[in-house]
Structure formats: C-alpha cells, structure tokens
Amino acid sequence: MNTDTSTMAEQLAKPSRSQQMVLDVLIAAHNNRTGALTAGDIRERLERIHAPRRFDKGWVTGRLDELRDKGAVEQSEETRFNPLTRKSSHLWFIPAQQSRLCA
C-alpha cells in the first residue's frame, strides 16, 4: 500500500480529462490575452475545437466548479450581460497563482 501523501495529493490535484478540456480553453484565452470567459463562451469554443461534438452548458459549469474547488480557476464577481439571452453570466479566469499552468 502506497502511503506517500504527496503522490496522493498530486493525483487529487491533477485535472480529469474533461476538466483539462475546459482548462485548456481558459489557458488559451489567458495566453492570447482575451481575458475572462463566461461558461457560454467556453462551451462555444469547446464545440469549435471538438466539432461536431456538442457540450451542455451545465456540463461546462460543473467542470468549472470542480476546477474552482481545486484552485485551478476562479470565478469573477464581475458579470457580463448577453443581449441575446438577456442574462448576466459570471466570468471565469486563471488566477495569478496558477499562471504556471499557462507556461
């Protein structure tokens, strides 16, 4: 039995494949200086990258919540209004302390 807690901690911190897909979109936005994205923005980018696959916004939001719990992403208090849906959405971004993800 492996009792090395650092290995266990690394495994817990490593994103799953689906989390990594969402994280990759945010990393690209960070590197391109696009800024923070809404869950809808992330969904649209995932669908372009993985066409013809479709992504549910709830699936994206679930992955973002998981990544937030791991400290890999943050949700801004700021919101962006979408004139088409007439709703405001929170913005997601890579926090400064996680900039090593973008290297």
Side-chain angles (χ1 to χ4, degrees), residues 1-11:
M1 181 175 169
N2 185 358
T3 58
D4 182 2
T5 56
S6 65
T7 303
M8 290 174 17
E10 287 173 9
Q11 289 173 350

Side-chain angles (χ1 to χ4, degrees), residues 6 20-21 25 28-29 38 43-44 58 62 91 95 99 103:
S6 65
Q20 189 64 52
M21 290 168 60
V25 170
T38 66
R43 182 186 56 83
E44 289 173 7
L91 301 170
S99 59

Side-chain angles (χ1 to χ4, degrees), residues 2-94:
N2 185 358
T3 58
D4 182 2
T5 56
S6 65
T7 303
M8 290 174 17
E10 287 173 9
Q11 289 173 350
L12 289 174
K14 184 177 182 195
S16 69
R17 185 173 183 266
S18 58
Q19 292 169 350
Q20 189 64 52
M21 290 168 60
V22 171
L23 191 55
D24 288 343
V25 170
L26 283 171
I27 290 170
H30 178 86
N31 288 339
N32 293 331
R33 301 177 194 265
T34 304
L37 301 173
T38 66
D41 296 335
I42 294 168
R43 182 186 56 83
E44 289 173 7
R45 290 171 188 222
L46 282 169
E47 289 180 349
R48 271 185 277 169
I49 294 167
H50 300 282
R53 183 174 172 186
R54 303 290 300 185
F55 292 87
D56 183 70
K57 188 176 170 190
W59 180 89
V60 173
T61 303
R63 301 306 72 76
L64 287 166
D65 288 341
E66 293 166 358
L67 288 165
R68 181 187 55 213
D69 292 345
K70 290 183 175 190
V73 301
E74 285 186 10
Q75 183 180 24
S76 174
E77 292 297 319
E78 179 185 348
T79 60
R80 183 186 308 148
F81 180 74
N82 182 329
L84 296 175
T85 62
R86 305 185 81 50
K87 294 181 181 182
S88 291
S89 297
H90 284 277
L91 301 170
W92 294 87
F93 62 96
I94 304 290

